[in-house]
Amino acid sequence: LAKTRIVPAKPESGIPAVLLVRQDTLFVLDQRKLPRSVTYVTCTTASEVAAAITSMAVRGAPAIGLCAALGLAVVAKRSAHMSPDAFVRKMERAAGRIAAARPTAADLGAVVRRILDALHEAPPKTRVDAVVATAEAVKTELEAACARISQEGARLLEGRRRLMTYCNTGSLATGVGHGTALGAIIEAARSGKVEKVWVPETRPYLQGSRLTAFELWCAGIRPTVIPDSAAPSVIAAGEVDAIVVGADRIAANGDVANKIGTYGLAVAASLAGIPFYVAAPLSTFDIGCRDAAQIPIEARSGAELVQEVWGKAWGRRISAYYPAFDVTPGEFVTAIVCEEGVLEPPYPGAIRSVLAARQ
Ligand code: MRU
């Protein structure tokens, strides 16, 4: 990826913009470098957008969906000179390339399908505008969804003083707005009654200790970072009043795919008798997946695990297995917060109704 440094590294000035469109170029904040430096990768082609997603420069289910939308808008603008048929073929190829960049987050495929539908429905002369307008609509709707999820989530967390989250679900993970689970925590903390936010580091990319801790810090909240392996025992020790996490895909029966390690937190929460909440926009729900067994789990290269720890030379010789997500059965989920409110078990009916009401 081409790398362009366009904003100086000043984390104390706040959280930098995640996705910026300037004319017909998309600038993607390189989250792998945060919070140490604020650097953007430039994307002008579908391959560059897909590479930004696959390589984790941008991550978080809603943010990669939005990145796909804005990336396709950029590709459309740059292809406006083509004949109508060539334009459609080019956009379909671009959509396929970007949708395949990461498999687990439902938002990515959903957004790409929505852009393609808009493209196919528009008359040839307005196709570029239709793609750009749909990408803008995705952004506006996501921003509103995050605001609502943060408020509803904060209401659920009322009276819970010691919270735990996982991975990163703040504005860095949604691309716009306040984020989902982390948005709810930040909103809840406005009451002044939140005493502690436990943040497991989230190996190997450290979305917890680098990104969530940074976002909490920017919001004036002191995080307490712990090793991932410490989280279940901290819960068991009675140090946590509620857990709230995000999701990458929620199946029709309420099973929730999220960052690897989430399942262990849910089991520990259940044993400790504390609520385990999931916060996610409707774009993360996929009723095409009946249950956990149908959710595709991304297997990332084992090298990403061992290089971090051992350095490249060792990493090449050591075999490692890195499933990037796990699935928490719906039975362990106390409630799911979305932009339409709070869903409670039994999830199959609750999810069906909330999605039907949307159509
Ligand atoms: O691999 P990542 O960093 O994309 O994983 C992100 C998560 O698991 C988040 O919890 C999820 O996408 C929700 S983001 C609002």
Side-chain angles (χ1 to χ4, degrees), residues 56 59-62 102 167-169 173 180 207 247-248 258-259 325:
M56 305 279 289
R59 31 66 48 200
R102 286 188 82 189
C167 195
N168 171 261
T169 60
T180 56
Q207 291 94 329
D248 282 79
N258 192 49
K259 179 54 56 195
F325 299 94

Side-chain angles (χ1 to χ4, degrees), residues 173-206:
T174 52
V176 282
H178 302 73
T180 56
L182 194 60
I185 289 177
I186 291 171
E187 190 61 39
R190 287 188 210 284
S191 68
K193 292 184 183 147
V194 172
E195 287 170 9
K196 190 141 207 132
V197 183
W198 296 102
V199 178
E201 56 185 347
T202 321
R203 284 203 161 263
Y205 275 89
L206 304 178

Side-chain angles (χ1 to χ4, degrees), residues 89-112:
R89 279 200 302 277
K90 165 111 189 196
M91 291 305 296
E92 286 172 343
R93 269 199 311 276
R97 177 91 184 74
I98 293 171
R102 286 188 82 189
T104 303
D107 312 55
L108 179 58
V111 164
V112 169

Side-chain angles (χ1 to χ4, degrees), residues 205-216:
Y205 275 89
L206 304 178
Q207 291 94 329
S209 55
R210 289 187 303 109
L211 308 179
T212 298
F214 170 56
E215 289 206 51
L216 284 168

